[in-house]
Amino acid sequence: MKKPIYIIGTGLSHNGSAVLLKDGRICIAIEKERLTRIKHDGGNDALAIKYCLEAEGIKLSDVSLVVQTANFDIPNPKQFKGKRIFNDENSPEIITISHHLAHAYSAIGTSPFSEGAVMVIDGCGSPLSQYLALHPEEQKNIDVNLINESQMRCEKDSFYHFYDNKLTPLFKDFSEMEELTNDHLRMPTTKHSIGGFYAAISNYIFGDMEDVGKLMGLAPFGRTNKFNFEAFEFVSERLYVKEDWKNNFTNPSKGYDYFKEHFSYYADVAKWAQEQVEKAIVNCLNYRIKRFPHKNLCYTGGVALNAVANAKLQDCLSENTVFFEPAAGDNGLALGCAFYGWIAHLKKPKLMHDGNTCFGKQYLQEEINEIVKKELNENFKKIFFENEAQLLLYCAEKLNEGKTVAWFQSGSEFGPRSLGRRSILAHPGIENMKNHINRNIKFREDFRPFAPAVLKDSVTEYFEVGRHSPYMILVDKTKPEYLQQLNNVTHCDGTARVQTVDETWNPKFAKLITEFYKHSGIAVLLNTSFNKKGMPIVETPLEAINLFKETALDILVLENTLIEK
């Protein structure tokens, strides 16, 4: 029997992760934050790599290749809070690639295309010096004046072409780093990046540069045309962030109470920033596609997580087929590293991906039952369902009655969205359900929206465009006749961040929505991540039980075991 080829991909950034490829296909992957329980955790990758090896039942000696990336030069191991797993002569070959290259290969490896264009837009990629050290053959494509500058410049957007298993850079833009100051509108990354701009606005409004997702949720409450100045400009098809817009924003939030007191002002700022970002993204892609046309486009990098901008982009590029990488942030770097190892380094053909984005390990029912027996007292109702149909029927009836259900099934999702493996589910139309979940289960701000998970064949019934959106990464408009039935999953501007549920890789979740449809007449469920504010999505049955006990959740389903308060 032929020995399989295992490749480890690992991202040494914030939002660290590890991926194990087996003969060119993903067999296991995990984000570090799911294991350490620290949001956006990165650095030392030993824990994530051990998780992957143990889940697959192999040793490091079975691995043929390790591919890694880091924004800056790989630091001394001491800076990674302990030794890495590769610390003896028996370790596999290790190669390092640049940041945007890893982003690009994450989209290539998971896309349905055998060839196409690839766009990467984020806050900060590899420094130019590191990029040229890793890829010296690219020096001929970089302006000599840029190379001779003493100030550090980093990747901010890159455009590639993938064909015949080869990725060719067509247009790369580098930006100098922003100076380190205490300015509340300081760009945290490169000076002229879309991602840096969005993070700066997030810091201005929330006091946290990691809260960019909240910014997108706040924007619909704001008013268009409240501010009439521009944040971005293009010079010779290169994007720059202007400086003068900052003079108009002199009232940074002083905490959540202050934010609530001045809610309409901060919503207006968020609306302006969101619209500026949308225009910048669309213009940037239009420039690149016009110059290097191709019908297929992969889009990735942290900025590609902006679901509102993605929908605008899809509409503007109606002649193109666009694949939005679901793990577009730095958590996806490990995916790209692994695929680079298979395709570029080992010269193996790209294998078509099935669309699945759930790569966590499966927890055995026996293990779950032991934890339930140990951690839950007799005050909880416990039912084990031998028959899946009976479980689905029971849950659908309870959801239709207005109960909230924590849904823990199979391997966890890879990426920022819960897609029916680690989800909190509820009725999309029962009055005040959204507020109840935000206040008593998620413990987060009341303006935060929830997503509708809809059977993919029913999406055109409820939503105006009917976008194919299996990764909850595109918005649509709820049809007027369904606004009441979907009031908990429709934002204040009538939009919804839709998840179209694909039964080919999410069968049990699709069956649950189908069963709910029979009882409610609605082929949609409210879906949100199984966590609370500031917490990574739960990974283990024990974490699920602890959160269930801590919150106002009514029901917890762990595979075929149901617990009810």
Side-chain angles (χ1 to χ4, degrees), residues 257-407:
D257 289 339
Y258 191 84
F259 164 82
K260 288 192 292 184
E261 184 183 346
H262 300 86
F263 181 84
S264 61
Y265 166 72
Y266 291 116
D268 289 341
V269 175
K271 182 72 169 181
W272 171 81
Q274 174 64 33
E275 291 177 342
Q276 292 293 306
V277 163
E278 289 166 16
K279 284 194 291 185
I281 292 169
V282 169
N283 286 336
C284 198
L285 262 297
N286 275 330
Y287 278 128
R288 306 295 179 258
I289 287 289
K290 185 177 179 180
R291 186 169 169 185
F292 308 104
H294 201 287
K295 64 177 182 178
N296 297 330
L297 172 66
C298 295
Y299 178 39
T300 186
V303 173
L305 291 172
N306 192 308
V308 181
N310 289 349
K312 291 275 177 69
L313 183 64
Q314 191 178 64
D315 292 341
C316 292
L317 299 178
S318 57
E319 299 299 312
N320 301 83
T321 303
V322 185
F323 171 73
F324 298 92
E325 214 280 80
D330 280 7
N331 49 6
L333 292 173
L335 276 174
C337 287
F339 282 120
Y340 175 91
W342 177 258
I343 297 169
H345 190 74
L346 297 183
K347 309 295 183 187
K348 301 288 186 179
K350 178 202 162 174
L351 304 177
M352 280 299 151
H353 185 58
D354 64 2
N356 185 14
T357 188
C358 303
F359 310 127
K361 72 178 183 180
Q362 175 111 29
Y363 292 88
L364 299 176
Q365 188 68 61
E366 295 78 10
E367 179 184 357
I368 290 169
N369 292 343
E370 282 298 314
I371 295 170
V372 169
K373 184 178 178 181
K374 180 181 178 183
E375 298 294 330
L376 291 173
N377 59 40
E378 296 307 313
N379 294 328
F380 293 95
K381 179 180 179 181
K382 296 184 277 290
I383 310 172
F384 177 73
F385 288 87
E386 295 279 359
N387 184 288
E388 183 182 273
Q390 292 178 344
L391 169 66
L392 298 173
L393 172 62
Y394 189 93
C395 291
E397 289 176 340
K398 293 295 182 179
L399 285 163
N400 195 40
E401 291 170 10
K403 301 294 185 182
T404 54
V405 174
W407 186 251

Side-chain angles (χ1 to χ4, degrees), residues 525-537:
L525 277 175
L526 179 155
N527 182 15
T528 187
S529 54
F530 192 176
N531 64 350
K532 65 177 183 178
K533 183 183 177 184
M535 169 193 278
I537 298 169

Side-chain angles (χ1 to χ4, degrees), residues 132-379:
L132 291 176
L134 295 173
H135 315 291
E137 71 282 0
E138 290 302 317
Q139 183 157 337
K140 65 182 183 299
N141 297 320
I142 305 296
D143 188 314
V144 67
N145 295 321
L146 215 60
I147 294 172
N148 292 332
E149 279 192 3
S150 58
Q151 188 175 8
M152 184 169 73
R153 288 176 174 264
C154 293
E155 297 168 309
K156 67 180 182 70
D157 62 78
S158 300
F159 196 73
Y160 303 88
H161 179 240
F162 180 71
Y163 175 70
D164 196 25
N165 267 31
K166 184 179 180 183
L167 185 69
T168 304
L170 300 176
F171 193 108
K172 289 188 66 69
D173 202 3
F174 294 83
S175 168
E176 64 267 33
M177 297 294 290
E178 179 70 287
E179 294 180 10
L180 293 175
T181 68
N182 292 322
D183 182 4
H184 51 261
L185 283 169
R186 176 181 66 81
M187 301 280 281
T189 52
T190 52
K191 193 172 183 179
H192 297 292
S193 72
I194 297 174
F197 165 79
Y198 212 64
I201 296 294
S202 173
N203 189 50
Y204 179 78
I205 294 175
F206 301 116
D208 186 346
M209 291 183 182
E210 298 284 1
D211 274 337
V212 290
K214 280 170 39 174
L215 194 61
M216 187 173 63
L218 176 63
F221 291 93
R223 293 165 287 184
T224 296
N225 300 324
K226 189 65 179 174
F227 306 105
N228 61 356
F229 42 86
E230 299 295 316
F232 299 97
E233 62 181 345
F234 283 86
V235 179
S236 300
E237 300 185 7
R238 296 181 185 273
L239 179 140
Y240 293 88
V241 179
K242 302 171 76 172
E243 281 291 320
D244 52 1
W245 63 271
K246 296 180 181 179
N247 300 328
N248 298 280
F249 298 132
T250 57
N251 185 26
S253 179
K254 300 175 178 64
Y256 187 55
D257 289 339
Y258 191 84
F259 164 82
K260 288 192 292 184
E261 184 183 346
H262 300 86
F263 181 84
S264 61
Y265 166 72
Y266 291 116
D268 289 341
V269 175
K271 182 72 169 181
W272 171 81
Q274 174 64 33
E275 291 177 342
Q276 292 293 306
V277 163
E278 289 166 16
K279 284 194 291 185
I281 292 169
V282 169
N283 286 336
C284 198
L285 262 297
N286 275 330
Y287 278 128
R288 306 295 179 258
I289 287 289
K290 185 177 179 180
R291 186 169 169 185
F292 308 104
H294 201 287
K295 64 177 182 178
N296 297 330
L297 172 66
C298 295
Y299 178 39
T300 186
V303 173
L305 291 172
N306 192 308
V308 181
N310 289 349
K312 291 275 177 69
L313 183 64
Q314 191 178 64
D315 292 341
C316 292
L317 299 178
S318 57
E319 299 299 312
N320 301 83
T321 303
V322 185
F323 171 73
F324 298 92
E325 214 280 80
D330 280 7
N331 49 6
L333 292 173
L335 276 174
C337 287
F339 282 120
Y340 175 91
W342 177 258
I343 297 169
H345 190 74
L346 297 183
K347 309 295 183 187
K348 301 288 186 179
K350 178 202 162 174
L351 304 177
M352 280 299 151
H353 185 58
D354 64 2
N356 185 14
T357 188
C358 303
F359 310 127
K361 72 178 183 180
Q362 175 111 29
Y363 292 88
L364 299 176
Q365 188 68 61
E366 295 78 10
E367 179 184 357
I368 290 169
N369 292 343
E370 282 298 314
I371 295 170
V372 169
K373 184 178 178 181
K374 180 181 178 183
E375 298 294 330
L376 291 173
N377 59 40
E378 296 307 313
N379 294 328

Side-chain angles (χ1 to χ4, degrees), residues 29 89 92 105 160 247 360 373 381 383 406 446 464 492 513 516:
E89 65 271 10
Y105 270 97
Y160 303 88
N247 300 328
K373 184 178 178 181
K381 179 180 179 181
I383 310 172
D446 57 7
E464 290 185 358
C492 61
I513 300 174
F516 177 74

Side-chain angles (χ1 to χ4, degrees), residues 492-513:
C492 61
D493 61 351
T495 61
R497 193 181 66 205
V498 177
Q499 176 198 358
T500 49
V501 179
D502 190 332
E503 67 276 4
T504 59
W505 56 267
N506 222 345
K508 201 167 184 178
F509 191 39
K511 290 175 186 176
L512 176 63
I513 300 174

